[in-house]
mmCIF file of all heavy atoms in Angstrom:
data_model
loop_
_atom_site.group_PDB
_atom_site.id
_atom_site.type_symbol
_atom_site.label_atom_id
_atom_site.label_comp_id
_atom_site.label_asym_id
_atom_site.label_seq_id
_atom_site.Cartn_x
_atom_site.Cartn_y
_atom_site.Cartn_z
ATOM 1 N N GLY A 350 -5.092 -12.456 -11.378
ATOM 2 C CA GLY A 350 -6.081 -13.458 -11.061
ATOM 3 C C GLY A 350 -6.303 -13.604 -9.513
ATOM 4 O O GLY A 350 -7.381 -13.469 -9.060
ATOM 5 N N LEU A 351 -5.151 -13.742 -8.751
ATOM 6 C CA LEU A 351 -5.272 -13.778 -7.286
ATOM 7 C C LEU A 351 -5.893 -12.473 -6.657
ATOM 8 O O LEU A 351 -6.703 -12.576 -5.757
ATOM 9 C CB LEU A 351 -3.985 -14.090 -6.633
ATOM 10 C CG LEU A 351 -3.496 -15.508 -7.010
ATOM 11 C CD1 LEU A 351 -2.109 -15.724 -6.548
ATOM 12 C CD2 LEU A 351 -4.282 -16.659 -6.357
ATOM 13 N N ALA A 352 -5.421 -11.468 -7.139
ATOM 14 C CA ALA A 352 -5.790 -10.122 -6.592
ATOM 15 C C ALA A 352 -7.318 -9.897 -6.933
ATOM 16 O O ALA A 352 -8.006 -9.300 -6.065
ATOM 17 C CB ALA A 352 -4.956 -8.941 -7.104
ATOM 18 N N SER A 353 -7.714 -10.194 -8.200
ATOM 19 C CA SER A 353 -9.053 -10.142 -8.499
ATOM 20 C C SER A 353 -10.063 -10.837 -7.677
ATOM 21 O O SER A 353 -11.111 -10.442 -7.296
ATOM 22 C CB SER A 353 -9.321 -10.516 -10.032
ATOM 23 O OG SER A 353 -8.661 -9.692 -10.917
ATOM 24 N N ALA A 354 -9.553 -12.016 -7.250
ATOM 25 C CA ALA A 354 -10.366 -12.830 -6.327
ATOM 26 C C ALA A 354 -10.631 -12.173 -5.054
ATOM 27 O O ALA A 354 -11.694 -12.315 -4.419
ATOM 28 C CB ALA A 354 -9.766 -14.159 -6.110
ATOM 29 N N MET A 355 -9.607 -11.392 -4.645
ATOM 30 C CA MET A 355 -9.754 -10.640 -3.250
ATOM 31 C C MET A 355 -10.335 -9.414 -3.376
ATOM 32 O O MET A 355 -11.118 -8.907 -2.474
ATOM 33 C CB MET A 355 -8.313 -10.501 -2.780
ATOM 34 C CG MET A 355 -7.566 -11.789 -2.340
ATOM 35 S SD MET A 355 -6.169 -11.595 -1.503
ATOM 36 C CE MET A 355 -4.989 -10.915 -2.814
ATOM 37 N N PHE A 356 -10.196 -8.548 -4.448
ATOM 38 C CA PHE A 356 -10.565 -7.309 -4.511
ATOM 39 C C PHE A 356 -11.548 -6.888 -5.663
ATOM 40 O O PHE A 356 -12.138 -5.897 -5.583
ATOM 41 C CB PHE A 356 -9.416 -6.325 -4.400
ATOM 42 C CG PHE A 356 -8.510 -6.494 -3.255
ATOM 43 C CD1 PHE A 356 -7.396 -7.193 -3.364
ATOM 44 C CD2 PHE A 356 -9.026 -6.096 -1.991
ATOM 45 C CE1 PHE A 356 -6.587 -7.465 -2.271
ATOM 46 C CE2 PHE A 356 -8.170 -6.257 -0.824
ATOM 47 C CZ PHE A 356 -6.977 -7.064 -0.976
ATOM 48 N N GLY A 357 -11.461 -7.563 -6.748
ATOM 49 C CA GLY A 357 -12.060 -7.049 -8.036
ATOM 50 C C GLY A 357 -13.461 -7.178 -8.084
ATOM 51 O O GLY A 357 -14.199 -6.501 -8.912
ATOM 52 N N SER A 358 -14.168 -8.049 -7.270
ATOM 53 C CA SER A 358 -15.487 -8.344 -7.616
ATOM 54 C C SER A 358 -16.482 -7.372 -6.823
ATOM 55 O O SER A 358 -17.693 -7.450 -7.137
ATOM 56 C CB SER A 358 -15.816 -9.791 -7.004
ATOM 57 O OG SER A 358 -15.636 -9.833 -5.541
ATOM 58 N N MET A 359 -16.041 -6.575 -5.979
ATOM 59 C CA MET A 359 -16.932 -5.632 -5.196
ATOM 60 C C MET A 359 -16.522 -4.207 -5.384
ATOM 61 O O MET A 359 -15.422 -3.814 -5.013
ATOM 62 C CB MET A 359 -17.015 -6.036 -3.760
ATOM 63 C CG MET A 359 -17.659 -7.385 -3.436
ATOM 64 S SD MET A 359 -17.764 -7.769 -1.631
ATOM 65 C CE MET A 359 -18.910 -6.405 -1.233
ATOM 66 N N ALA A 360 -17.439 -3.323 -5.784
ATOM 67 C CA ALA A 360 -16.996 -1.955 -6.041
ATOM 68 C C ALA A 360 -17.275 -1.289 -4.613
ATOM 69 O O ALA A 360 -18.099 -1.687 -3.792
ATOM 70 C CB ALA A 360 -17.901 -1.383 -7.064
ATOM 71 N N VAL A 361 -16.512 -0.129 -4.356
ATOM 72 C CA VAL A 361 -16.699 0.617 -3.217
ATOM 73 C C VAL A 361 -17.643 1.785 -3.589
ATOM 74 O O VAL A 361 -17.418 2.620 -4.383
ATOM 75 C CB VAL A 361 -15.413 1.342 -2.806
ATOM 76 C CG1 VAL A 361 -15.725 2.122 -1.499
ATOM 77 C CG2 VAL A 361 -14.428 0.072 -2.417
ATOM 78 N N PRO A 362 -18.850 1.819 -2.949
ATOM 79 C CA PRO A 362 -19.806 2.926 -3.194
ATOM 80 C C PRO A 362 -19.069 4.154 -2.965
ATOM 81 O O PRO A 362 -18.327 4.360 -1.954
ATOM 82 C CB PRO A 362 -20.938 2.645 -2.144
ATOM 83 C CG PRO A 362 -20.922 1.074 -1.864
ATOM 84 C CD PRO A 362 -19.473 0.875 -1.914
ATOM 85 N N GLY A 363 -19.269 5.152 -3.809
ATOM 86 C CA GLY A 363 -18.724 6.522 -3.512
ATOM 87 C C GLY A 363 -19.349 7.567 -4.230
ATOM 88 O O GLY A 363 -20.542 7.463 -4.732
ATOM 89 N N THR A 364 -18.869 8.670 -4.385
ATOM 90 C CA THR A 364 -19.541 9.773 -5.141
ATOM 91 C C THR A 364 -18.814 10.290 -6.200
ATOM 92 O O THR A 364 -17.687 10.772 -6.258
ATOM 93 C CB THR A 364 -19.523 10.999 -4.129
ATOM 94 O OG1 THR A 364 -18.226 11.302 -3.656
ATOM 95 C CG2 THR A 364 -20.413 10.742 -2.900
ATOM 96 N N GLY A 365 -19.301 9.775 -7.434
ATOM 97 C CA GLY A 365 -18.794 10.264 -8.751
ATOM 98 C C GLY A 365 -17.384 10.171 -8.755
ATOM 99 O O GLY A 365 -16.641 9.150 -8.579
ATOM 100 N N ARG A 366 -16.711 11.259 -9.223
ATOM 101 C CA ARG A 366 -15.329 11.390 -9.467
ATOM 102 C C ARG A 366 -14.468 11.249 -8.277
ATOM 103 O O ARG A 366 -13.315 10.796 -8.312
ATOM 104 C CB ARG A 366 -14.954 12.674 -10.160
ATOM 105 C CG ARG A 366 -15.605 12.878 -11.530
ATOM 106 C CD ARG A 366 -15.243 14.144 -12.166
ATOM 107 N NE ARG A 366 -15.855 14.243 -13.501
ATOM 108 C CZ ARG A 366 -15.731 15.338 -14.246
ATOM 109 N NH1 ARG A 366 -15.053 16.332 -13.823
ATOM 110 N NH2 ARG A 366 -16.361 15.477 -15.443
ATOM 111 N N ALA A 367 -14.901 11.487 -7.075
ATOM 112 C CA ALA A 367 -14.207 11.363 -5.889
ATOM 113 C C ALA A 367 -13.733 9.901 -5.586
ATOM 114 O O ALA A 367 -12.704 9.626 -4.961
ATOM 115 C CB ALA A 367 -14.993 11.875 -4.601
ATOM 116 N N GLN A 368 -14.436 8.914 -6.248
ATOM 117 C CA GLN A 368 -14.137 7.557 -6.086
ATOM 118 C C GLN A 368 -12.786 7.233 -6.698
ATOM 119 O O GLN A 368 -12.137 6.180 -6.372
ATOM 120 C CB GLN A 368 -15.230 6.746 -6.777
ATOM 121 C CG GLN A 368 -15.085 5.182 -6.464
ATOM 122 C CD GLN A 368 -16.189 4.369 -7.034
ATOM 123 O OE1 GLN A 368 -17.294 5.108 -7.516
ATOM 124 N NE2 GLN A 368 -16.103 3.148 -7.028
ATOM 125 N N ALA A 369 -12.417 8.017 -7.742
ATOM 126 C CA ALA A 369 -11.126 7.655 -8.407
ATOM 127 C C ALA A 369 -10.010 8.025 -7.766
ATOM 128 O O ALA A 369 -8.812 7.796 -8.145
ATOM 129 C CB ALA A 369 -11.228 8.339 -9.836
ATOM 130 N N LYS A 370 -10.012 8.836 -6.566
ATOM 131 C CA LYS A 370 -8.866 9.274 -5.886
ATOM 132 C C LYS A 370 -8.244 8.067 -5.301
ATOM 133 O O LYS A 370 -8.873 7.072 -4.920
ATOM 134 C CB LYS A 370 -9.235 10.212 -4.689
ATOM 135 C CG LYS A 370 -9.816 11.603 -5.279
ATOM 136 C CD LYS A 370 -10.069 12.436 -3.916
ATOM 137 C CE LYS A 370 -10.519 13.897 -4.498
ATOM 138 N NZ LYS A 370 -10.838 14.777 -3.272
ATOM 139 N N PRO A 371 -6.908 8.036 -5.333
ATOM 140 C CA PRO A 371 -6.224 6.850 -4.786
ATOM 141 C C PRO A 371 -6.245 6.727 -3.281
ATOM 142 O O PRO A 371 -6.591 7.765 -2.631
ATOM 143 C CB PRO A 371 -4.692 7.187 -5.154
ATOM 144 C CG PRO A 371 -4.663 8.656 -5.287
ATOM 145 C CD PRO A 371 -5.897 9.090 -5.787
ATOM 146 N N ILE A 372 -6.237 5.494 -2.825
ATOM 147 C CA ILE A 372 -6.281 5.230 -1.272
ATOM 148 C C ILE A 372 -4.774 5.218 -0.975
ATOM 149 O O ILE A 372 -4.000 4.443 -1.261
ATOM 150 C CB ILE A 372 -6.791 3.847 -1.016
ATOM 151 C CG1 ILE A 372 -8.304 3.807 -1.524
ATOM 152 C CG2 ILE A 372 -6.675 3.644 0.459
ATOM 153 C CD1 ILE A 372 -8.901 2.352 -1.468
ATOM 154 N N ARG A 373 -4.362 6.380 -0.187
ATOM 155 C CA ARG A 373 -2.937 6.550 0.027
ATOM 156 C C ARG A 373 -2.633 5.917 1.385
ATOM 157 O O ARG A 373 -3.382 6.069 2.425
ATOM 158 C CB ARG A 373 -2.767 8.068 0.203
ATOM 159 C CG ARG A 373 -3.037 8.862 -1.085
ATOM 160 C CD ARG A 373 -2.800 10.294 -0.898
ATOM 161 N NE ARG A 373 -1.402 10.613 -0.916
ATOM 162 C CZ ARG A 373 -0.953 11.773 -0.347
ATOM 163 N NH1 ARG A 373 -1.622 12.715 0.256
ATOM 164 N NH2 ARG A 373 0.355 12.032 -0.429
ATOM 165 N N ILE A 374 -1.622 5.071 1.432
ATOM 166 C CA ILE A 374 -1.318 4.496 2.715
ATOM 167 C C ILE A 374 0.214 5.039 2.998
ATOM 168 O O ILE A 374 1.143 4.721 2.192
ATOM 169 C CB ILE A 374 -1.195 3.038 2.655
ATOM 170 C CG1 ILE A 374 -2.588 2.423 2.124
ATOM 171 C CG2 ILE A 374 -0.620 2.356 3.784
ATOM 172 C CD1 ILE A 374 -2.788 0.929 1.985
ATOM 173 N N GLY A 375 0.372 5.677 4.050
ATOM 174 C CA GLY A 375 1.684 6.115 4.508
ATOM 175 C C GLY A 375 2.441 4.969 5.169
ATOM 176 O O GLY A 375 2.003 4.329 6.258
ATOM 177 N N VAL A 376 3.607 4.583 4.528
ATOM 178 C CA VAL A 376 4.490 3.533 5.067
ATOM 179 C C VAL A 376 5.633 4.185 5.698
ATOM 180 O O VAL A 376 6.523 4.753 5.014
ATOM 181 C CB VAL A 376 4.902 2.593 3.945
ATOM 182 C CG1 VAL A 376 5.833 1.471 4.552
ATOM 183 C CG2 VAL A 376 3.575 1.936 3.329
ATOM 184 N N ILE A 377 5.678 4.079 7.002
ATOM 185 C CA ILE A 377 6.729 4.783 7.708
ATOM 186 C C ILE A 377 7.592 3.647 8.306
ATOM 187 O O ILE A 377 7.153 2.824 9.262
ATOM 188 C CB ILE A 377 6.246 5.618 8.910
ATOM 189 C CG1 ILE A 377 5.182 6.715 8.420
ATOM 190 C CG2 ILE A 377 7.326 6.316 9.658
ATOM 191 C CD1 ILE A 377 4.502 7.473 9.565
ATOM 192 N N THR A 378 8.754 3.558 7.679
ATOM 193 C CA THR A 378 9.703 2.271 8.167
ATOM 194 C C THR A 378 11.146 2.658 8.038
ATOM 195 O O THR A 378 11.447 3.812 7.540
ATOM 196 C CB THR A 378 9.279 1.088 7.131
ATOM 197 O OG1 THR A 378 10.065 0.008 7.760
ATOM 198 C CG2 THR A 378 9.764 1.388 5.793
ATOM 199 N N SER A 379 12.124 1.786 8.428
ATOM 200 C CA SER A 379 13.470 2.136 8.497
ATOM 201 C C SER A 379 14.130 1.926 7.208
ATOM 202 O O SER A 379 14.617 0.865 6.851
ATOM 203 C CB SER A 379 14.032 1.299 9.595
ATOM 204 O OG SER A 379 13.499 1.464 10.800
ATOM 205 N N LEU A 380 14.206 3.074 6.405
ATOM 206 C CA LEU A 380 14.879 2.919 5.079
ATOM 207 C C LEU A 380 16.384 3.182 5.203
ATOM 208 O O LEU A 380 17.172 3.091 4.192
ATOM 209 C CB LEU A 380 14.246 3.934 4.186
ATOM 210 C CG LEU A 380 12.688 3.603 3.955
ATOM 211 C CD1 LEU A 380 12.172 4.664 3.048
ATOM 212 C CD2 LEU A 380 12.576 2.186 3.299
ATOM 213 N N THR A 381 16.834 3.734 6.289
ATOM 214 C CA THR A 381 18.181 3.957 6.684
ATOM 215 C C THR A 381 18.432 3.512 8.198
ATOM 216 O O THR A 381 17.447 3.313 8.962
ATOM 217 C CB THR A 381 18.706 5.295 6.541
ATOM 218 O OG1 THR A 381 17.972 6.332 7.363
ATOM 219 C CG2 THR A 381 18.618 5.791 4.959
ATOM 220 N N GLY A 382 19.651 3.421 8.550
ATOM 221 C CA GLY A 382 19.784 3.098 9.996
ATOM 222 C C GLY A 382 19.984 1.652 10.209
ATOM 223 O O GLY A 382 20.038 0.753 9.255
ATOM 224 N N PHE A 383 20.154 1.228 11.443
ATOM 225 C CA PHE A 383 20.420 -0.200 11.791
ATOM 226 C C PHE A 383 19.461 -1.190 11.493
ATOM 227 O O PHE A 383 19.711 -2.374 11.237
ATOM 228 C CB PHE A 383 20.836 -0.236 13.365
ATOM 229 C CG PHE A 383 19.561 -0.193 14.235
ATOM 230 C CD1 PHE A 383 18.904 -1.567 14.614
ATOM 231 C CD2 PHE A 383 19.175 0.941 14.759
ATOM 232 C CE1 PHE A 383 17.797 -1.389 15.365
ATOM 233 C CE2 PHE A 383 18.016 0.965 15.514
ATOM 234 C CZ PHE A 383 17.326 -0.184 15.918
ATOM 235 N N ALA A 384 18.146 -0.774 11.281
ATOM 236 C CA ALA A 384 17.134 -1.622 10.917
ATOM 237 C C ALA A 384 16.863 -1.662 9.446
ATOM 238 O O ALA A 384 15.612 -2.084 9.136
ATOM 239 C CB ALA A 384 15.891 -1.348 11.772
ATOM 240 N N GLN A 385 17.571 -1.118 8.662
ATOM 241 C CA GLN A 385 17.436 -0.804 7.156
ATOM 242 C C GLN A 385 17.056 -2.175 6.530
ATOM 243 O O GLN A 385 15.977 -2.075 5.683
ATOM 244 C CB GLN A 385 18.494 -0.184 6.518
ATOM 245 C CG GLN A 385 18.207 -0.012 4.958
ATOM 246 C CD GLN A 385 19.380 0.684 4.351
ATOM 247 O OE1 GLN A 385 20.396 1.099 4.903
ATOM 248 N NE2 GLN A 385 19.271 0.915 3.104
ATOM 249 N N ILE A 386 17.656 -3.287 6.791
ATOM 250 C CA ILE A 386 17.285 -4.456 6.098
ATOM 251 C C ILE A 386 15.838 -4.980 6.354
ATOM 252 O O ILE A 386 15.219 -5.520 5.401
ATOM 253 C CB ILE A 386 18.240 -5.611 6.455
ATOM 254 C CG1 ILE A 386 18.311 -5.943 7.906
ATOM 255 C CG2 ILE A 386 19.588 -5.321 5.912
ATOM 256 C CD1 ILE A 386 19.073 -7.168 8.294
ATOM 257 N N TYR A 387 15.361 -4.670 7.497
ATOM 258 C CA TYR A 387 13.867 -4.954 7.849
ATOM 259 C C TYR A 387 13.040 -3.928 7.255
ATOM 260 O O TYR A 387 11.806 -4.258 6.722
ATOM 261 C CB TYR A 387 13.837 -5.130 9.341
ATOM 262 C CG TYR A 387 14.739 -5.984 10.017
ATOM 263 C CD1 TYR A 387 15.649 -5.536 10.947
ATOM 264 C CD2 TYR A 387 14.868 -7.390 9.593
ATOM 265 C CE1 TYR A 387 16.464 -6.399 11.558
ATOM 266 C CE2 TYR A 387 15.827 -8.180 10.220
ATOM 267 C CZ TYR A 387 16.699 -7.663 11.155
ATOM 268 O OH TYR A 387 17.546 -8.486 11.800
ATOM 269 N N GLY A 388 13.450 -2.664 7.299
ATOM 270 C CA GLY A 388 12.682 -1.530 6.743
ATOM 271 C C GLY A 388 12.465 -1.751 5.226
ATOM 272 O O GLY A 388 11.361 -1.565 4.629
ATOM 273 N N ASP A 389 13.522 -2.132 4.559
ATOM 274 C CA ASP A 389 13.473 -2.306 3.084
ATOM 275 C C ASP A 389 12.462 -3.531 2.845
ATOM 276 O O ASP A 389 11.789 -3.378 1.884
ATOM 277 C CB ASP A 389 14.881 -2.674 2.549
ATOM 278 C CG ASP A 389 15.666 -1.485 2.233
ATOM 279 O OD1 ASP A 389 15.166 -0.360 2.248
ATOM 280 O OD2 ASP A 389 16.926 -1.556 2.325
ATOM 281 N N ALA A 390 12.390 -4.480 3.734
ATOM 282 C CA ALA A 390 11.471 -5.615 3.543
ATOM 283 C C ALA A 390 10.037 -5.119 3.634
ATOM 284 O O ALA A 390 9.228 -5.502 2.851
ATOM 285 C CB ALA A 390 11.840 -6.773 4.436
ATOM 286 N N ASN A 391 9.832 -4.355 4.645
ATOM 287 C CA ASN A 391 8.529 -3.734 4.752
ATOM 288 C C ASN A 391 8.080 -3.020 3.569
ATOM 289 O O ASN A 391 7.002 -3.076 3.019
ATOM 290 C CB ASN A 391 8.491 -2.651 6.003
ATOM 291 C CG ASN A 391 8.136 -3.268 7.285
ATOM 292 O OD1 ASN A 391 8.488 -2.730 8.334
ATOM 293 N ND2 ASN A 391 7.601 -4.455 7.321
ATOM 294 N N ARG A 392 9.050 -2.131 3.021
ATOM 295 C CA ARG A 392 8.733 -1.401 1.800
ATOM 296 C C ARG A 392 8.456 -2.293 0.601
ATOM 297 O O ARG A 392 7.422 -2.064 -0.093
ATOM 298 C CB ARG A 392 10.008 -0.455 1.340
ATOM 299 C CG ARG A 392 9.751 0.115 0.036
ATOM 300 C CD ARG A 392 10.985 0.789 -0.338
ATOM 301 N NE ARG A 392 12.320 0.083 -0.333
ATOM 302 C CZ ARG A 392 12.431 -0.802 -1.449
ATOM 303 N NH1 ARG A 392 11.659 -0.872 -2.528
ATOM 304 N NH2 ARG A 392 13.673 -1.552 -1.468
ATOM 305 N N ILE A 393 9.210 -3.335 0.445
ATOM 306 C CA ILE A 393 8.997 -4.258 -0.677
ATOM 307 C C ILE A 393 7.644 -4.950 -0.545
ATOM 308 O O ILE A 393 6.885 -5.119 -1.531
ATOM 309 C CB ILE A 393 10.146 -5.356 -0.668
ATOM 310 C CG1 ILE A 393 11.421 -4.606 -1.162
ATOM 311 C CG2 ILE A 393 9.782 -6.455 -1.691
ATOM 312 C CD1 ILE A 393 12.718 -5.489 -0.923
ATOM 313 N N GLY A 394 7.330 -5.482 0.702
ATOM 314 C CA GLY A 394 6.022 -6.059 0.815
ATOM 315 C C GLY A 394 4.846 -5.200 0.542
ATOM 316 O O GLY A 394 3.831 -5.594 -0.040
ATOM 317 N N ALA A 395 4.985 -3.961 1.062
ATOM 318 C CA ALA A 395 3.817 -3.050 0.954
ATOM 319 C C ALA A 395 3.613 -2.691 -0.654
ATOM 320 O O ALA A 395 2.608 -2.687 -1.171
ATOM 321 C CB ALA A 395 3.970 -1.733 1.732
ATOM 322 N N GLU A 396 4.750 -2.503 -1.323
ATOM 323 C CA GLU A 396 4.702 -2.139 -2.723
ATOM 324 C C GLU A 396 4.109 -3.328 -3.580
ATOM 325 O O GLU A 396 3.304 -3.031 -4.444
ATOM 326 C CB GLU A 396 6.183 -1.722 -3.168
ATOM 327 C CG GLU A 396 6.535 -0.528 -2.682
ATOM 328 C CD GLU A 396 8.115 -0.090 -2.982
ATOM 329 O OE1 GLU A 396 8.778 -0.973 -3.467
ATOM 330 O OE2 GLU A 396 8.394 1.126 -2.869
#
């Protein structure tokens, strides 16, 4: 319900089937190393 309020009410104009392609977001963060606890948090939030 909350996500629908933010995103579900407006379609993105596009071209036929190309519209179905996912919107890929590259998340580059610290999954190992000294900053891992913060990088894992970045990953969780994005997911």
Side-chain angles (χ1 to χ4, degrees):
L351 289 172
S353 290
M355 291 187 288
F356 301 105
S358 62
M359 292 184 65
V361 176
T364 57
R366 295 181 182 177
Q368 186 178 352
K370 290 183 178 179
I372 299 168
R373 304 176 74 202
I374 300 177
V376 176
I377 305 174
T378 192
S379 301
L380 303 178
T381 58
F383 75 89
Q385 180 179 355
I386 56 173
Y387 308 120
D389 280 342
N391 273 162
R392 172 186 59 78
I393 292 168
E396 289 175 346

